[in-house]
Amino acid sequence: MDHSLRAARVATYVYFVLCGTTMGTWVVHIPAVEERVGISHATLGGLLVLLGLGAFIGMQVAGRMTDRLGARVVVPAAGVLCSAALVLPGLPRDPWTLAGALLAFGFCNGCLDVSMNAHAVHVEKAYGRPVMSAFHATFSVGGVLAALVAAATANADLSPAAGMAAVGALGIVIALVSARALLPKEPAADADADSVEEAGQAPTTKRRSAGGRIWVLAALALMVMLCEGAANDWSALHLKDIFGASASTAAFAYGTFAATMTIGRLLADRLVARFGAMAVLRHGAATAAVGITIVAFSPWVWTAFAGWALFGLGLSGCVPQLFSAAGHADPSAAGANVSRVAGLGYVGMLAGPAVIGWLTHLVPLNHTFVLLTVLCAITAVAARILRTGSDRTREMAHGTL
């Protein structure tokens, strides 16, 4: 295999770790920031909408820029901006300043997220086999690293701003050093259009049908990422509020979720190669539904940890399959298509924390997670959107998955 392709794959891993670490660093500092600013869960939920809104805007901008300029330009630039903006949410002492900080950090994180995923699609295409889930596994590795660092800084009584600034400074260096290994922009090609014309189908018809499928994938991404966002933003607070856990123990609720996400994504590419993306999405969503139901009704800390672990394991393979399907629908517009799926997914992340926050006015925090059970069940039923010819052959040979 070409050395430059291997180097590009390693560099993509690095950017996924960087993105996961920056977001995870913010996530595990949420309780401390909430206490510092002096706001309620409901107010925090409303402010987190701005984080998702910023990410959504950043994704739409970066998706088109990546298709136009190439990932080698956009990914490192976004990595530097995201790392630099990480310290912003740790500085405010009032809700209005925190709102602006979250909007800016969300924008930069969204730029990095969609550009690195677009680059991952091109790397996967060059490899000729599923590798997307492994990239997303390294995002989860970043979450685990963030949880470990946050627990250490909490025990050392360091301020959120100090810990976030240190992680951000290191991230800037990593983003710049890794840039040279990324793949150059591919020249525009008409290969896909030619192959469609040979089959008797007009390229515009293919693009139109692909566009409709993209929006279905985006709707599923909204539901799955709403669930993932709820875990990101509320898992630590769940242990602190429901069980009275310490700050360091509560941080490991998210760490447990992120760890099982990592394990699941390291295994998912092999499962996709053997059973297909549809089966991974269907059974993963069903497993996540079981896990979050355990969390919602758990009377003990240890079963709550088990539920978060199962929730992470189930969700682990879902988002990578949706992003990969979007990117491969039209490789010449991978950035734009991934930005649509990821963007609507981030609407889920935008709405999810706010909805959970608002529901806490009506029911205890843990019981709000029943909503996530319902969304996971719907995703499992709708997984047939990823059904391919290989799935039909597999079903005929082995029975329906």
Side-chain angles (χ1 to χ4, degrees):
M1 184 174 292
D2 184 75
H3 173 74
S4 63
L5 181 56
R6 281 200 214 86
R9 186 179 182 185
V10 171
T12 309
Y13 284 137
V14 170
Y15 283 106
F16 270 80
V17 172
L18 176 61
C19 190
T21 302
T22 53
M23 179 55 72
T25 300
W26 152 246
V27 165
V28 296
H29 281 100
I30 286 177
V33 171
E34 181 186 49
E35 183 176 352
R36 174 189 176 111
V37 179
I39 53 179
S40 65
H41 291 345
T43 301
L44 175 64
L47 290 174
L48 290 174
V49 169
L50 296 174
L51 178 70
L53 177 61
F56 179 83
I57 296 171
M59 286 177 176
Q60 306 317 302
V61 172
R64 289 171 175 78
M65 288 182 65
T66 302
D67 288 336
R68 177 175 293 185
L69 304 177
R72 181 177 276 183
V73 174
V74 180
V75 173
V80 169
L81 290 175
C82 185
S83 299
L86 174 60
V87 70
L88 297 179
L91 298 174
R93 292 183 177 274
D94 64 84
W96 292 105
T97 310
L98 179 59
L102 290 176
L103 185 65
F105 176 61
F107 176 86
C108 297
N109 185 266
C111 288
L112 177 57
D113 194 311
V114 78
S115 60
M116 72 185 187
N117 271 288
H119 184 262
V121 167
H122 292 303
V123 172
E124 184 176 59
K125 180 183 176 184
Y127 265 81
R129 59 184 172 84
V131 295
M132 180 66 80
S133 293
F135 290 134
H136 283 252
T138 54
F139 178 91
S140 300
V141 168
V144 174
L145 291 175
L148 293 173
V149 171
T153 56
N155 288 331
D157 292 326
L158 292 179
S159 69
M164 296 163 87
V167 173
L170 181 59
I172 291 173
V173 175
I174 292 172
L176 293 173
V177 169
S178 304
R180 292 183 61 187
L182 297 176
L183 294 177
K185 184 179 184 297
E186 292 183 347
D190 296 326
D192 291 336
D194 292 343
S195 63
V196 173
E197 287 175 339
E198 289 173 5
Q201 185 181 8
T204 53
T205 303
K206 180 192 175 186
R207 291 193 186 97
R208 213 173 279 127
S209 63
R213 187 167 184 261
I214 291 299
W215 289 115
V216 176
L217 295 172
L220 292 178
L222 183 149
M223 290 186 283
V224 172
M225 292 180 70
L226 188 153
C227 294
E228 190 173 336
N232 290 344
D233 293 332
W234 295 104
S235 54
L237 286 169
H238 167 245
L239 258 70
K240 184 178 178 182
D241 281 9
I242 302 301
F243 299 104
S246 66
S248 58
T249 300
F252 278 102
Y254 172 72
T256 299
F257 170 81
T260 55
M261 288 276 283
T262 304
I263 294 169
R265 285 172 173 172
L266 289 172
L267 298 173
D269 286 329
R270 292 186 180 89
L271 295 175
V272 171
R274 182 171 181 181
F275 299 111
M278 180 186 71
V280 170
L281 180 62
R282 174 181 291 168
H283 295 297
T287 301
V290 173
I292 197 61
T293 302
I294 293 172
V295 171
F297 298 103
S298 172
W300 305 292
V301 172
W302 68 268
T303 50
F305 272 115
W308 285 119
L310 197 60
F311 191 49
L313 186 65
L315 289 180
S316 62
C318 296
V319 170
Q321 308 322 311
L322 298 172
F323 281 20
S324 181
H328 289 297
D330 183 359
S332 66
N337 286 338
V338 170
S339 74
R340 292 186 183 103
V341 174
L344 198 56
Y346 261 76
V347 170
M349 282 199 170
L350 178 155
V355 170
I356 295 296
W358 293 330
L359 286 176
T360 59
H361 288 298
L362 305 175
V363 295
L365 175 59
N366 56 326
H367 292 165
T368 65
F369 298 146
V370 173
L371 172 65
L372 310 184
T373 300
V374 174
L375 295 178
C376 288
I378 293 173
T379 301
V381 172
R384 289 184 69 84
I385 186 64
L386 298 187
R387 190 169 183 255
T388 64
S390 298
D391 290 317
R392 287 188 286 271
T393 302
R394 197 178 290 113
E395 289 169 2
M396 291 175 62
H398 303 290
T400 301
L401 287 170

